[in-house]
Amino acid sequence: MSFILRCIDCGYKAPYFPTAINCPQCHSQWRNAEYDLDTLSKTLPLQLPDRPFDLWRYHELLPIRNPDPSLTLGEGGTPLIKATNLGLMLGCPNIFIKDERQGPTASFKDRQAAVSIAALKEAGITEMVVASTGNVAIAYSAFAARAGIKLWAFVTSLVPAVKMREIALYGSQVIKVTGSYDNVKRAASEFAQQRNLYQNMGARSIPSVESMKTIAYEISEQLTAFLGTTTNTESENFLWRTPDWYIQSISGGMGPLGVSKGFSELEEMGFINKNPAIAAIQTAGCSPMVTSWKKGLETAEVVEEPRTHIETLATGDPGRTYKLLRKAIDASDGAFESVTDEEAFRAMHVLAKMEGISAEPAAAVAFAGLFKLVRAGVIKPDDTVVVNCTGHT
């Protein structure tokens, strides 16, 4: 399937190649992948019934020209679990958990790594650099090992030792950086530039953002299986379901940015008739997006010294991602919200004891955000809600 990149600053269209980071015309690093959605709206429904329920089910909507089955580790296709007990506790019966713990390395970052490594392998790239607070480096290490790509993983010294060992186990070169995650990103960038290596650029990386769309596609299909189709009264076509709310904890914000794009593409193809409200939840000790949004700021105020024990969410400078995510959240009538570390740790216990799901603190931030939004009346009792359980303990 053909696709092109469109620069979000000047509109220039160009083909995709992983090492071509900048727009050829204005040199912006911010571009969107665009697909032939009109054609796909007709062909995809005919093809999906015969495909496995995994990430590559939607390969025509990913920036890979020829997917290589030998690289897969079974990514995507994670369960959607109805949280019956949480629903009873909160008086909101239609709460669902997208259980991304079930990925190959137990976090939603497996999607990002799978698509990114496939794109690099297709382009003949053999060495790369990532900056990480843990899960990204683990996921990339696993998929890079399978693809024969050497990985340099820059991580903050606060990453738990067990995660450090797992990164090294896959054969990656681990570089510990004392300081914040923003310091780690700067060190990784300098290293990549000195050696002329490909570096994962987070929300500026086309495969990274595109990979997260598959969460939206899967949720819509899975909710339809739970609740049945709806009908478009104008055309009498049967449509997939979407939740009223999609909730995810964020650090840099790339995840919900991609998920929002996925729902928008489904709507453009006529598969759904509404986008869910997006709720992005940060830990209060490092919540530049939340505080900036509540102040009505166009640009995020930087948090120079994060004060949280949940290191994986300690991105103090979200950069332009805040502007893009703010636009998506405002368009969906969603919200940014923050919770304390203590609220997140309590949510971990509630989730484990009530639903049998063991989530890491960063994932529990989303559930603490759910509790806060329900109690504040932002989420209504009859709303259908999907919470992304982004990673295992």
Side-chain angles (χ1 to χ4, degrees):
M1 176 60 64
S2 62
F3 59 94
I4 56 96
L5 303 187
R6 183 191 297 273
C7 177
I8 68 174
D9 289 312
C10 73
Y12 186 82
K13 292 189 283 188
Y16 169 66
F17 192 77
T19 56
I21 303 298
N22 300 320
C23 168
Q25 182 158 288
C26 75
H27 306 295
S28 170
Q29 294 185 339
W30 295 89
R31 297 189 285 171
N32 274 331
E34 295 184 352
Y35 307 83
D36 183 358
L37 297 181
D38 185 56
T39 298
L40 285 170
S41 69
K42 301 176 181 68
T43 59
L44 205 55
L46 302 176
Q47 296 167 329
L48 288 180
D50 297 324
R51 294 182 178 178
F53 192 69
D54 60 18
L55 180 148
W56 299 105
R57 177 178 179 83
Y58 318 102
H59 64 83
E60 294 95 339
L61 286 153
L62 294 171
I64 308 294
R65 293 176 177 84
N66 296 294
D68 184 350
S70 70
L71 300 180
T72 183
L73 285 168
E75 56 278 3
T78 56
L80 187 70
I81 300 167
K82 188 166 186 179
T84 304
N85 296 322
L86 278 185
L88 287 171
M89 180 188 81
L90 295 170
C92 187
N94 287 315
I95 295 174
F96 295 85
I97 298 169
K98 184 60 171 162
D99 191 5
E100 289 292 287
R101 305 172 311 151
Q102 304 299 327
T105 72
S107 90
F108 80 121
K109 296 297 185 180
D110 284 321
R111 295 178 188 268
Q112 178 183 347
V115 178
S116 297
I117 292 296
L120 298 185
K121 185 73 172 178
E122 189 172 71
I125 295 168
T126 60
E127 195 170 355
M128 72 167 296
V129 176
V130 298
S132 173
T133 53
N135 288 343
V136 166
I138 291 171
Y140 271 88
S141 293
F143 284 91
R146 190 162 179 83
I149 293 174
K150 182 174 182 177
L151 181 71
W152 297 85
F154 283 71
V155 297
T156 168
S157 56
L158 296 174
V159 169
V162 64
K163 291 193 174 188
M164 294 271 197
R165 287 195 292 271
E166 185 172 1
I167 296 164
L169 182 66
Y170 292 114
S172 298
Q173 296 293 316
V174 181
I175 298 93
K176 286 197 294 184
V177 178
T178 301
S180 68
Y181 180 42
D182 295 310
N183 297 139
V184 173
K185 288 190 288 187
R186 282 192 289 270
S189 180
E190 290 171 6
F191 180 85
Q193 289 173 9
Q194 289 170 1
R195 298 204 175 199
N196 196 29
L197 298 178
Y198 176 86
Q199 180 189 3
N200 171 60
M201 304 287 283
R204 289 169 290 170
S205 168
I206 296 297
S208 296
V209 174
E210 296 300 290
S211 69
M212 295 301 167
K213 300 186 312 186
T214 58
I215 295 173
Y217 304 155
E218 289 178 16
I219 286 172
S220 291
E221 285 204 74
Q222 289 170 313
L223 270 184
T224 303
F226 265 109
L227 305 175
T229 57
T230 60
T231 304
N232 185 332
T233 54
E234 293 180 5
S235 64
E236 296 186 353
N237 291 333
F238 290 103
L239 302 176
W240 290 355
R241 292 271 187 170
T242 54
D244 296 297
W245 285 88
Y246 171 81
I247 303 177
Q248 185 180 325
S249 57
I250 60 168
S251 181
M254 182 192 66
L257 193 63
V259 171
S260 175
K261 186 173 189 284
F263 282 119
S264 294
E265 288 178 346
L266 289 175
E267 185 175 31
E268 191 171 340
M269 287 187 288
F271 293 178
I272 64 175
N273 61 5
K274 67 168 186 174
N275 283 0
I278 305 288
I281 316 297
Q282 293 193 294
T283 179
C286 188
S287 56
M289 296 202 217
V290 178
T291 55
S292 300
W293 181 74
K294 289 186 176 182
K295 290 179 180 179
L297 301 179
E298 292 286 337
T299 302
E301 291 182 335
V302 176
V303 175
E304 298 289 354
E305 295 185 14
R307 299 183 181 277
T308 174
H309 294 291
I310 307 175
E311 295 86 3
T312 52
L313 298 184
T315 298
D317 184 3
R320 190 170 180 176
T321 306
Y322 164 70
K323 291 184 178 182
L324 300 175
L325 186 55
R326 179 179 185 266
K327 183 178 178 181
I329 283 179
D330 287 346
S332 71
D333 293 323
F336 286 95
E337 190 52 85
S338 63
V339 297
T340 65
D341 285 10
E342 291 75 15
E343 287 171 327
F345 292 131
R346 282 200 297 271
M348 280 180 66
H349 286 276
V350 170
L351 185 61
K353 291 172 181 175
M354 298 195 74
E355 297 295 348
I357 290 176
S358 175
E360 68 177 357
V365 164
F367 289 90
L370 165 71
F371 301 163
K372 192 169 184 178
L373 291 171
V374 169
R375 287 165 181 159
V378 177
I379 293 176
K380 309 302 182 189
D382 58 348
D383 283 344
T384 298
V385 183
V386 173
V387 187
N388 188 333
C389 186
T390 48
H392 196 279
T393 50

